[in-house]
Amino acid sequence: MRRSTITTRVLGGSALACVAVALSLVFVRYDAPAPRTDILAALGLAAVAAAGWAFACRTAPALGPAPEAASSSALPGRLPLPRWDLGTVIGFLLLALTPYSAHRLAQGPGGGGVFLGLVGLLLIVVTVKAMLFARKQTSMKQRLLKLKVLAEDAAHGEVYAVRVQAGEPVRMRLSERGDKPGAVDVSYWHWIVLREGAHEIRLAAPREDVARAAVRFGGQEGWLYLPKRWKLIDDELPTAFVADGGEALLGLTDPDEVRAYLVKDLRTTSSDRSARRVPSTAKFRMPVHLSTFGGALLATLLALPVLLLGNDLPTAAAWFLCALAAGSAVTGALRGAGDGATRAVMSDVKWTERDETDPSIA
């Protein structure tokens, strides 16, 4: 796991910008004659920037443990709320638009007729639905609303807080009854263990945040924050671990695990002290991006005859090649974001793995 640097951010942003330009040129200059050297140039620059980004990520400084500091009774009053991973969001949007861009390229300057027009409308509907589904699945709205309550309580001067020690990261595989008869749904939960004496508290957060926190905080002590207005929050409670060095991880915890601290450990926070986010990490991971880059390269090769020959290529062949190109790009990215992302995050730190099964199906 390596730190994000200015170089990795600039090169990664440049690669995404070049891909965005290439996809946009399909629409902006849809009537341009072949060969489409403008699109090929944008894709070539994207490949160079992506290669540079991968190299910069691989050579960036390693993410090590956070500097330790002496414990202080002055608790930071300003907590850093989670923020969106802008690069991932932009990458998903570009991926979602890829099939429609390939469809427009297959149409050529002549428009492609009624059939391809209907296919285009279908792709628009599918793309919008995919975006809405992804937004629903990855929405941080409820989590952020809860964490804002904790941040506001800290800013106003009082939270429940107790000294804890950061422990190991845990990945739990939960098996539950599926929607279809005979099916089992499997979900995964990630948390870092915080210990107050012999008592364990699970601070759950996105797996990448937990992995970074495990590297930074393993064995260190700090403060566990709980909201003063906890009675106004349903289900899981917003929680923060603020290490003595000043870095913080925000997440959710089971109220039953912290109920003992919600009646006696009200503490004052200091408005002139701020906690910091755990440093961001470079996003390149071989299991993730090898599939993604491979799919993109294959898609470019498949679309190359269309880009070079244009209307000289039969419409059926152009449609077939563009459909294959879109499928290759999407399949490569989804494979990387699925199994590849899981392998990558599991290799970053040493996880304690647990398996649990719903008692109704055990």
Side-chain angles (χ1 to χ4, degrees):
M1 190 178 294
R2 298 185 177 274
R3 284 176 173 268
S4 173
T5 64
I6 293 177
T7 303
T8 61
R9 290 192 288 270
V10 169
L11 288 172
S14 299
L16 291 175
C18 290
V19 172
V21 169
L23 295 179
S24 300
L25 285 171
V26 176
F27 300 97
V28 174
R29 302 190 64 215
Y30 67 90
D31 56 349
R36 294 301 305 269
T37 54
D38 52 348
I39 297 177
L40 290 172
L43 291 174
L45 290 174
V48 172
W53 171 72
F55 179 77
C57 289
R58 299 279 287 183
T59 57
L63 182 72
E68 297 191 48
S71 62
S72 173
S73 58
L75 279 64
R78 295 194 292 272
L79 296 177
L81 290 173
R83 57 188 176 190
W84 286 99
D85 182 350
L86 188 58
T88 300
V89 173
I90 294 175
F92 171 78
L93 292 176
L94 294 177
L95 179 66
L97 292 173
T98 296
Y100 189 62
S101 297
H103 167 265
R104 186 64 191 83
L105 181 63
Q107 286 182 302
V114 176
F115 174 72
L116 287 183
L118 293 175
V119 173
L121 291 176
L122 177 62
L123 282 174
I124 292 176
V125 173
V126 171
T127 299
V128 171
K129 285 185 175 293
M131 289 182 176
L132 292 175
F133 177 76
R135 182 178 182 275
K136 181 179 179 180
Q137 295 298 312
T138 61
S139 176
M140 297 195 304
K141 182 178 179 181
Q142 289 302 317
R143 178 167 166 259
L144 279 176
L145 288 175
K146 290 186 176 184
L147 293 177
K148 283 181 179 179
V149 174
L150 177 60
E152 289 170 359
D153 286 353
H156 292 159
E158 285 186 322
V159 294
Y160 289 96
V162 64
R163 294 287 296 175
V164 294
Q165 182 181 46
E168 69 278 6
V170 177
R171 173 182 169 88
M172 184 184 74
R173 182 179 186 272
L174 178 63
S175 300
E176 300 175 288
R177 186 188 301 273
D179 295 333
K180 298 179 181 179
V184 175
D185 282 345
V186 176
S187 57
Y188 293 89
W189 300 86
H190 303 81
W191 66 78
I192 188 168
V193 175
L194 305 176
R195 293 185 174 88
E196 193 266 326
H199 182 59
E200 291 189 355
I201 303 152
R202 298 175 296 178
L203 196 165
R207 61 186 183 183
E208 290 81 5
D209 293 347
V210 173
R212 284 193 292 267
V215 173
R216 297 295 282 177
F217 301 145
Q220 295 190 17
E221 294 188 350
W223 290 98
L224 172 71
Y225 281 36
L226 296 163
K228 182 180 180 180
R229 292 174 287 169
W230 65 273
K231 293 182 180 179
L232 302 178
I233 301 174
D234 295 329
D235 302 321
E236 297 134 324
L237 292 179
T239 312
F241 172 73
V242 183
D244 292 333
E247 293 181 6
L249 171 68
L250 276 67
L252 302 175
T253 194
D254 186 338
D256 292 336
E257 297 181 0
V258 295
R259 203 170 299 281
Y261 312 125
L262 297 173
V263 292
K264 60 178 181 178
D265 292 302
L266 191 63
R267 297 182 182 273
T268 302
T269 59
S270 176
S271 60
D272 60 351
R273 294 195 63 200
S274 299
R276 307 182 304 278
R277 292 184 181 87
V278 173
S280 59
T281 50
K283 297 297 186 294
F284 177 79
R285 296 287 189 278
M286 187 66 74
V288 177
H289 294 97
L290 188 61
S291 295
T292 303
F293 291 167
L297 177 59
L298 180 57
T300 301
L301 293 176
L302 288 168
L304 193 59
V306 184
L307 293 170
L308 293 177
L309 300 178
N311 284 343
D312 292 336
L313 193 70
T315 301
W319 166 248
F320 180 69
L321 290 172
C322 287
L324 287 179
S328 299
V330 172
T331 301
L334 292 181
R335 286 186 62 184
D339 294 340
T342 299
R343 295 198 307 273
V345 77
M346 291 299 291
S347 66
D348 284 337
V349 297
K350 185 178 180 180
W351 294 84
T352 297
E353 297 193 60
R354 299 183 184 175
D355 283 295
E356 290 192 13
T357 302
D358 188 323
S360 65
I361 64 172

